[in-house]
Every structure is written in C-alpha cells, then in structure tokens.
Amino acid sequence: MHCIRFAVVAFMSVILMAGCSEESTQPVNNENPEESLLKVGEGADQGYKVELYSENTFAIGYHRIYVKLTRTSTHALVDRAAVSIIPMMNMGQMKHSAPHEDHEGVAAINGLFHCAVNFIMAGTWELRANFRDEKNGTVGEVAVNVNVAAGNMLKSVVGTDGKNYFITLVKPEKPVVGMNDLEITVHYRETMMSFPAVENLTVKMEPTMPSMGHGSPNNVDPTHQQNGHYLGKVNFTMTGDWRVDLDFARGDSLLHTSFDITVP
Ligand SMILES: [Cu+2]
C-alpha cells in the first residue's frame, strides 16, 4: 500500500513539475523556434507563411528540418497539415534530388513539422517545402535556396548489385570516450529523383584504432528500426582517431564502407 501511495505522489509531483517547467524542457520551442534553431529561410504561398529551421549549418549528411506554417491573415499556427521537403540540385546538364523524409502523419509536434534531408553533395540546393492544410485542403509550395558545405558524414558506395548506395552517419554527433549510440541511414539511387530507404540489410560493425592496432569490446551491430535508420552501439575506449568499418549484406555481401571518427 505504501508503495502505491508513494508512486501516486511521485507521479503527481512529476506532472506538477512538468507543468512548471514545460517551456524549458521542450527541445524545440514551438512559439519561438528561433531560440533553439537556426532559420534556414522562409517564403509565402496561398496565404501561408512557411519558415524552415535546422539544428545546425548544412554540410553533407543528414539534417532534420523543421517547418513552421502560419496563416498570413490571422498569424495563426497551422497544427494539422501534410508537410514534405524535396531537395533539388541543379547541375546545369541535369537536376537531381537526394534522400529525404516527410513529416509523419499530419499532427504538428510542438507546432512544427519534422522533415529531414540527406544532402549527398556540397553546393547550392533548393529546398521545396510542400504543404497541405488539413482544415481546408489548401496546397502550397515554397522554395528556399541553401548552401551545403563539404563533409565526411556520408559515403557513396556502389554495391555488388551495381546500384549506388548512400550511407550516412547520423550519430554519434559528439563522440565521447565510452559507449556511444550509433545511428546510420541507408538509401539507394533508384533514379535521379528517387532515393528509397534500404530496410533489409544485415550490418556488421567493427571499430578499430588503426594507429594502435586494437579494437574495443561490447559493440552492438546496427539493426534496422524504420525508414532506413539502423541503430547500434559503438564503444570508443580511449580518445584519438577511430575507424568504424561497416559491412552490409542482403544474403550475399552487398557493400563495405568506413567512417573516421575522432574522439576528443
Ligand atoms: Cu549534385
């Protein structure tokens, strides 16, 4: 009985505490995303203002992009809409897209729609943000140009099946000594405009310190979760330069790549 009573009290306090500190504990502040995020750009279409935000400046690799939708006339935040971002690169002779993720469902999360883009090249990209307001069916699109810097978080590899694969290191963003969450995404190029997620791979991972000729124990091979995201654990037992080798198989061996990670 005491336990239950304690649990109820503890639960109530959590609710009360959560109520008091709601603003500060939210990773992204819906009213003012400017406070925690970088503004990527904005535009207007069909009576809506569309603002794009990111967590950091763009370099080759995986970036979450947050979309804030506002009715221009009333300044009201739209909290139910289908939202997607299509990245486009115009290379003169040809155009191509990149892997990207739409907001899931239509409900905004803290007033924002969460999309993601895997930038596969450095240079100027056009981000086409599309929306469909659930309330009245209004459809619109806004295009924003962004610059993407070079980076080593994405590998482009031709598989044994002759297809072009894109392996992106999403985590660790800030590697530390000890156990780190490891997250990678895998996509392939179906056409210049279509980059589907690859969800059915077996991954073997091996971290080593090439300069010292040793590895580390207790690593967990990444396994598929959803939308081409694979999660595992990597153990960096000391500071310095590590190499994480990754072997991907689908029955037969498909491809190999590696990421160089410096642990400060
Ligand atoms: Cu390009």
Side-chain angles (χ1 to χ4, degrees):
M1 284 302 280
H2 284 290
C3 290
I4 290 167
R5 201 152 142 190
F6 175 74
V8 169
V9 171
F11 182 58
M12 294 297 286
S13 341
V14 167
I15 289 174
L16 289 172
M17 276 156 57
C20 293
S21 57
E22 198 174 9
E23 294 279 300
S24 59
T25 55
Q26 292 192 354
V28 174
N29 182 337
N30 52 330
E31 299 298 329
N32 298 300
E34 297 86 347
E35 286 174 10
S36 49
L37 298 169
L38 299 173
K39 190 163 192 173
V40 171
E42 67 171 69
D45 192 26
Q46 309 295 325
Y48 292 78
K49 184 161 92 167
V50 182
E51 295 165 83
L52 307 189
Y53 295 89
S54 70
E55 286 161 350
N56 34 48
T57 55
F58 292 139
I60 289 177
Y62 183 86
H63 292 268
R64 288 179 197 83
I65 300 176
Y66 303 91
V67 179
K68 184 178 173 182
L69 251 189
T70 319
R71 294 294 298 267
T72 317
S73 54
T74 57
H75 301 291
L77 210 55
V78 176
D79 62 359
R80 289 185 68 79
V83 177
S84 65
I85 293 178
I86 296 169
M88 288 294 294
M89 187 184 238
N90 188 341
M91 300 185 72
Q93 296 286 70
M94 61 100 162
K95 283 183 175 183
H96 67 86
S97 185
H100 55 91
E101 295 167 1
D102 301 345
H103 179 78
E104 272 191 47
V106 294
I109 303 167
N110 297 329
L112 297 173
F113 300 93
H114 295 199
C115 300
V117 172
N118 247 324
F119 292 110
I120 58 175
M121 286 180 73
T124 303
W125 287 81
E126 185 184 54
L127 298 178
R128 296 180 183 166
N130 300 274
F131 66 87
R132 182 185 183 282
D133 188 342
E134 275 288 291
K135 213 179 217 172
N136 52 26
T138 304
V139 171
E141 182 183 90
V142 156
V144 167
N145 281 337
V146 299
N147 286 313
V148 174
N152 54 7
M153 300 296 268
L154 179 141
K155 306 286 176 170
S156 169
V157 185
V158 178
T160 52
D161 58 0
K163 291 184 174 132
N164 228 91
Y165 289 84
F166 298 94
I167 320 297
T168 308
L169 185 68
V170 179
K171 283 181 189 170
E173 281 174 298
K174 294 186 175 115
V176 295
V177 171
M179 225 25 127
N180 292 259
D181 287 334
L182 183 110
E183 179 175 356
I184 51 178
T185 61
V186 184
H187 297 82
Y188 80 100
R189 183 165 62 212
E190 188 179 50
T191 68
M192 284 299 176
M193 295 301 147
S194 171
F195 296 77
V198 183
E199 311 196 321
N200 54 359
L201 301 179
T202 309
V203 190
K204 288 261 174 279
M205 177 186 65
E206 192 182 9
T208 52
M209 281 195 109
S211 64
M212 302 179 74
H214 68 78
S216 68
N218 305 324
N219 296 285
V220 180
D221 287 333
T223 55
H224 185 255
Q225 308 300 311
Q226 57 173 356
N227 301 330
H229 287 247
Y230 293 74
L231 297 186
K233 300 252 184 212
V234 60
N235 188 11
F236 298 127
T237 48
M238 56 189 290
T239 60
D241 293 337
W242 287 80
R243 163 163 291 192
V244 176
D245 279 287
L246 295 160
D247 277 299
F248 297 85
R250 184 164 44 206
D252 297 331
S253 174
L254 180 66
L255 63 95
H256 169 269
T257 192
S258 65
F259 289 95
D260 292 324
I261 298 176
T262 301
V263 181

